[in-house]
Amino acid sequence: MSLKLNPEAREIYRSIRDEIARKLLLRGSEAFLDEFSPTTNSEEIARRQAYLRENLQRVKPEIGEFIEKVRPIHFRREYLHDRILIVNESEVKKAEALGLCAVSTDPADAEEYPLVLSTVGYGIDVELTPTQITPELYIQPLWENRDTLEALAKIAELTGEKSIAPELLKQISGIKTTMDRLSTIEQLEEILHEKERELNEKVSERLEQFSLTLKGKELLEFLSELRSGDYGAIFRHFSSVENEILEMIREVEEELGKILGTPVEIFSREELYPVSVPPEKVELIREELTRDFKVEMYLKSRELAEKVRPLIPMLKQEIRDVYRLDFLRAVKLFAEGFSFPELGANGIAFLRGRHIFIENPQPVSYVIGEKPQWFDIEGSEKVLDEKVVILTGANSGGKTSLLELLTQIAILTHMGLPVPAERVGVSVLDEVFFFRRKRSTYGAGAFETALNGFVKALRSEGRKLILIDEFEAITEPGAAVKIIGELLKVAHERGFYVVIVSHLGEDLKKELPFARVDGIEARGLDEGLNLIVDRQPAFGKLGKSTPELIVERLARKKRGKEKEIFERILKAFKNG
């Protein structure tokens, strides 16, 4: 069963979950985090702990850069419009049921399609299976996700696990030249226009270098030919340049043939300058290259698909394992320096616990319920296995933070995760209640709401941890002592674990002999007149509040008449 949490405790659980989730690199990894929601099943908690102990060590620091490169690889059964399947009448229903491409019994319908597949000897012979009809749907996703396959191979190296990725990379390497051809088709216009630009530059340079020099008799003959209307004389003198330009065009077209993988004659021979590529020729070349690419891609994919298809389930599982590994990585980062709690204790005890959401917190040690033998710190001899504790002491001394830390440790334990302490023992619970003080809410309504919440926490049996932060803040001190006293008696009778923060510790102790009173005290003022607080509770000792130290700080800060008044108040403290 799930561990029951009241709204404030659930808010702390969400904060923990969000903190781990922020460290995930892949969106799909959150599903594994959800598998670790708090449970009351001690066997399940132990199983999770064992799983994490075994697997967190597989996570190496450098693995994150490869995990974030992994993407899901989708193999979809799609309808492809670039092919037609010619079958006999008896096969039409089965072929159409595949839903992969156009189906016909008439070969005349095949004229418009680059790819013609057939079971009747017209076009490329196929069987009525997806790997025969649309093999690209198995190969192209792998090619497009080479980064993922390479990352999977590297992750396997780092974890010492086997990977199917190297074999898949080896298989799809066979279509590299074909896919390079597709890239060329996609860049066809840019390639042609670049060659056009280069050719025009060369022609322009050659024309700039050309000069017509005629002397003596040659000049007289040239002028005579022009007077007689023989304008061919001009072109005869330019023919050598024309031949050079035509040679330049042939050379460039040979280069393009090598780039495109097919002979081309694309530049006009009519207008030699500027040289240009007719748009209609661009489209004809594109259509021809695309048709050749589709046939080549189909044939190579069909050859590979039979080998690749059986490996796809293993690939999907391997990617799923990476999401789990991402979850483990996030937990390892989150739980750096944490330890696994020991289950089966009768209460909660921890050494040097550290609040998760406070930067550089002072470590504290604490115990509610049965004191383990290893819990041997200063003052712990005063701990007599009390299940009900009243926590008293200095304002801003860390009492609320301690309640939050107790909640964090309880929740993390029931998630099966390590907790922020050096050593921990936790009783498996059914419910955790954390009643945070509502600092902006007072009056009868607030009092009624709070009282209802506390009574609900006490009304049923079970293993419970109840943490209450300053109940008396919403009612009169005298009434608070009576109400809190009775509530804690009920909790004691039912064996619940309770810590209540209160400034009424002395009065409550008289009413509740079974309860322990612990205190957090301010030790004085530092050079900057800031409170010096030891956040480690003193066991069995009433913690004094801080008004006297605050008055002393103000007396030392103020000047004139204000200083005199604060000194008078301070004197009253010392004399009282």
Side-chain angles (χ1 to χ4, degrees), residues 253-269:
E253 287 178 342
E254 282 182 16
E255 291 176 18
L256 280 171
K258 291 176 182 176
I259 293 171
L260 302 178
T262 186
V264 294
E265 186 176 301
I266 194 166
F267 296 109
S268 171
R269 265 60 172 179

Side-chain angles (χ1 to χ4, degrees), residues 279-524:
E280 61 274 11
K281 284 197 174 183
V282 176
E283 288 311 308
L284 285 172
I285 289 175
R286 190 193 307 280
E287 289 175 10
E288 181 183 347
L289 292 176
T290 300
R291 184 168 54 252
D292 291 346
F293 163 76
K294 287 184 177 295
V295 172
E296 183 179 335
M297 183 63 182
Y298 169 81
L299 292 172
K300 287 192 175 182
S301 296
R302 191 169 79 168
E303 181 184 343
L304 295 174
E306 299 296 338
K307 301 174 185 176
V308 164
R309 188 180 182 185
L311 306 180
I312 289 175
M314 289 180 276
L315 173 64
K316 290 181 177 178
Q317 182 58 49
E318 192 169 332
I319 291 174
R320 180 174 172 80
D321 289 342
V322 171
Y323 288 115
R324 188 179 292 277
L325 190 62
D326 184 31
F327 160 71
L328 290 169
R329 174 188 168 278
V331 170
K332 187 169 185 176
L333 289 174
F334 168 79
E336 190 69 38
F338 292 12
S339 62
F340 283 100
E342 301 164 21
L343 303 178
N346 291 316
I348 299 179
F350 55 88
L351 296 175
R352 297 184 62 78
R354 304 178 307 282
H355 193 292
I356 295 170
F357 301 110
I358 295 177
E359 189 174 354
N360 299 319
Q362 176 189 335
V364 297
S365 302
Y366 207 60
V367 59
I368 313 162
E370 189 176 305
K371 178 179 68 177
Q373 289 185 350
W374 48 261
F375 193 87
D376 186 16
I377 68 168
E378 183 180 349
S380 61
E381 68 279 357
K382 296 180 181 178
V383 175
L384 303 175
D385 301 342
E386 299 92 346
K387 290 187 175 182
V388 177
V389 180
I390 302 162
L391 185 59
T392 63
N395 293 325
S396 302
K399 300 186 296 297
T400 300
S401 297
L402 179 54
L403 296 189
E404 291 172 348
L405 175 57
L406 283 163
T407 309
Q408 291 167 7
I409 287 174
I411 289 172
L412 283 167
T413 296
H414 289 76
M415 292 176 74
L417 302 182
V419 302
E422 289 183 2
R423 189 167 185 180
V424 189
V426 178
S427 174
V428 176
L429 304 167
D430 297 311
E431 299 179 68
V432 175
F433 293 88
F434 177 35
F435 296 101
R436 192 189 300 274
R437 176 184 172 185
K438 306 293 191 298
R439 299 186 181 278
S440 60
T441 307
Y442 298 93
F447 171 71
E448 183 177 344
T449 299
L451 191 57
N452 264 323
F454 301 152
V455 170
K456 284 180 181 178
L458 297 171
R459 66 185 177 185
S460 59
E461 302 295 331
R463 303 165 297 181
K464 300 186 184 185
L465 172 64
I466 302 172
L467 307 168
I468 305 170
D469 190 7
E470 290 194 39
F471 174 79
E472 69 266 22
I474 54 175
T475 188
E476 298 84 359
V481 170
K482 294 177 183 177
I483 295 169
I484 292 171
E486 289 307 311
L487 290 173
L488 295 183
K489 286 175 185 176
V490 174
H492 173 66
E493 290 164 5
R494 299 192 174 183
F496 300 156
Y497 302 105
V498 182
V499 179
I500 181 168
V501 169
S502 176
H503 292 293
L504 306 174
E506 196 164 353
D507 296 325
L508 289 170
K509 181 63 178 172
K510 294 174 185 175
E511 295 284 326
L512 310 168
F514 54 83
R516 185 178 80 236
V517 177
D518 296 337
I520 295 175
E521 290 195 334
R523 298 180 306 193

Side-chain angles (χ1 to χ4, degrees), residues 7 32 35 71 115 147 193 221 248 267 548 550 565 567:
F32 293 100
E35 291 180 6
R71 296 291 179 270
L115 267 173
D147 287 350
H193 287 312
E221 289 177 354
M248 290 178 192
F267 296 109
E548 183 177 345
I550 292 170
I565 295 170
E567 285 179 340

